[in-house]
Amino acid sequence: MLASVPSRPTFKRLPRAVREQQMLDAAVRVFARRGFHAASMDEIADEAGISKPMVYAYLGSKDDLFRACVNQEGTRLLESIVAVVRDDLPADEQLWRGLRGFFGFVGAHREGWAVLYRQASGRQPFAADIAALRGRIVEVVAGMLGRAVLASGGTEAREPDLTASAYALVGAAESVADWLADHPEADPDHSAARLMNFTWLGARQLLQGELWQPSSA
Amino acid sequence: MLASVPSRPTFKRLPRAVREQQMLDAAVRVFARRGFHAASMDEIADEAGISKPMVYAYLGSKDDLFRACVNQEGTRLLESIVAVVRDDLPADEQLWRGLRGFFGFVGAHREGWAVLYRQASGRQPFAADIAALRGRIVEVVAGMLGRAVLASGGTEAREPDLTASAYALVGAAESVADWLADHPEADPDHSAARLMNFTWLGARQLLQGELWQPSSA
Amino acid sequence: MLASVPSRPTFKRLPRAVREQQMLDAAVRVFARRGFHAASMDEIADEAGISKPMVYAYLGSKDDLFRACVNQEGTRLLESIVAVVRDDLPADEQLWRGLRGFFGFVGAHREGWAVLYRQASGRQPFAADIAALRGRIVEVVAGMLGRAVLASGGTEAREPDLTASAYALVGAAESVADWLADHPEADPDHSAARLMNFTWLGARQLLQGELWQPSSA
Amino acid sequence: MLASVPSRPTFKRLPRAVREQQMLDAAVRVFARRGFHAASMDEIADEAGISKPMVYAYLGSKDDLFRACVNQEGTRLLESIVAVVRDDLPADEQLWRGLRGFFGFVGAHREGWAVLYRQASGRQPFAADIAALRGRIVEVVAGMLGRAVLASGGTEAREPDLTASAYALVGAAESVADWLADHPEADPDHSAARLMNFTWLGARQLLQGELWQPSSA
DNA sequence: CATGAATGAGTTTTCATTCAT
DNA sequence: GATGAATGAAAACTCATTCAT
């Protein structure tokens, strides 16, 4: 154990898979820190400890690279949710676990979230990727809501209503998550619980037929 | 008659205030269309039908210009909400009107909304401005929520809870607005009502003390 | 006349037309000197005594710029030929003048010739422009050949034969011109005369019906 | 039988000469397709089905490689002509065979021809190589022309005249070849015959002393 | 008041070339 | 013998910003 070779960090000639992952991680950090446009390939290469041509050789153009980041983080996010939801649990429990998974991801991967939400949502070429991701999440959430309504004795809800409610819920979650990402001292589980209550009680009332009516036109 | 003032159409030489407004409006459009970084001063000048040096002379650097846009649109948004809310109305009516005001602004000024909300891209030098403005909006919404709760007989809610709920509400509203924009056949008031219900019923239950509790962990 | 202002070369703020011409001329020189790919926009800007962004502002991309060069020099070449050919002259005289115009241009505008022939002929995006230019020249030459044949008592030649002969003649001329461009000491008129003889006598014999026949398959 | 030589298909580990030839052929194709500057060593290595370092190990730098291509194709072209010309044939027959050999090479090795001829792009470091090679070709053609003239009873022609005629002939041939490539329905031998006639009759007349004289200037 | 002309600095991207295995 | 990994250098193109008129 003693007098071993002074282990310099294994600098050069790593296998492709390793380097690619290093680059992706560096890219996520830099995109989150600067935003897509302000991020420079130079800075990303620096952050990855590699030269720029390697980034291009392995991951392609800046757009390709960003898309790869979005896909990676998107997949991680989805997995964070899906991993904890189990079909054999009661509906409310499913929703609760999904929310915790979501907020847990945001709390633990601020950078990934910034890439997905603050960078990609608005930008033309990537908006589609994000929309697709959000669509998949909405689908999952709508399914959970539907089962939840049935379970709590409601009549079967029309699908458009469920989808719209899911959009609202996902939007609310995104917004809260965004706030969470800027407040590291906040507790993700607390946010999850608050939103769960909001959602669960409101949705239950609403979908069970109680309605608020505007008193005037 | 000869040598009289050559009456070129008085297109140009507008008073400063008018020109500044033209520029700001053009800038809002371009920033919304492209995002801050991708927007070029050239395109903004073009959109305003004026030459670039004028933009610099009147509104200063690109950063200054963006800040001016944020302030203008933020003020407009706040006014859209405040203008329709009247303190002497019942709390739920206030919330309903506020929501419609908000929805109305987002629907009618998507560009302004994009500038205010979508540009929350992290560490730009004016991120503080945006954060402050979003803070003020959330504050207003939180205030409405709080009064609504009190009015409907709830106990006074803690402020962080209200703020978080306001974030959720704003996020839900934006998400629904996005969905609306993609579904022109849908009725905005229907969406507004659905969100109102969601909010009102959920908030009422929640803040009146009923709580959903996780059954485990 | 005396004590005039020491006329520093009028450096800056030239009107657009002048600057554009300066740039085009510089570009022709650099493209001729280095070839399309090896020519850098930096060097072109330097040669024009202007900064790179001006080149892009006025003439567009490197491709655009090159195309502009090709068009300018192509037009000049065509004009060099057309300007000296007069329809009321005998056919052989027309051909002779056309050849002299062609070789005269090449002798006087080596750079333009290099741009047209050595750079543009092979390169995919510009080959079409050159093909069109060559087509127009061939057309003119075929017309001259046709009238020449008629004038010297031949039967009317079939058009494909004329076109093919014109292609051969133009190709021959291009090749000789290319040689000429590399031998500044050579006399363009001498080359013109030699090719004229070659063409005129050969074409006359050929088109009057005399044929060389291979003795074996 | 166990532990015998693991018979991987003997694809790789070819002897050096074979590999070198593969590389040269690939390089010729790529240089012809893209031109010298636009051709990348990557594409050449790919086309040869080998890795880049091998190209460098066997054939040296890009310049070296191009020079090798020029030499190979030049030799092949010369051989195509020389192989079919036999000194004991009549002069016109020699010229005819030479022409057909030339045409045959250009038709069958357009890539080689492009490398040799179209890349005459001025001042590259190996312009000298190309010029030398073209010079040798022209020399051969000029020789044939000269012998043809003598054989048909003309006075000995001056060498510059022959050289210039050879340039014209080569240029005419290339131009016709280009035209042929665009008109697949045309008969190559027909074109060859037409050019032979053009050349033969014109040259005979010209070099036997008949001259066209400009009537003016 | 208003603008065409001009540029320094920085961005993405590519390429010939070389090591270490 | 053969190659995947790696890079320095340079090229095309853009942009915020400023004079001189």
Side-chain angles (χ1 to χ4, degrees), chain C residues 13 39-41 52-53 56 61-62:
Chain C
R13 307 275 152 171
S40 85
M41 296 297 267
K52 230 189 324 176
Y56 280 90
S61 72
K62 194 183 183 185

Side-chain angles (χ1 to χ4, degrees), chain B residues 113-125:
Chain B
W113 177 250
V115 165
L116 290 176
Y117 196 79
R118 284 263 165 72
Q119 308 284 338
S121 317
R123 328 285 124 225
Q124 266 116 2

Side-chain angles (χ1 to χ4, degrees), chain B residues 24-37:
Chain B
L24 272 179
D25 291 344
V28 166
R29 282 195 298 274
V30 175
F31 281 132
R33 185 160 54 223
R34 308 268 185 228
F36 175 78
H37 253 99

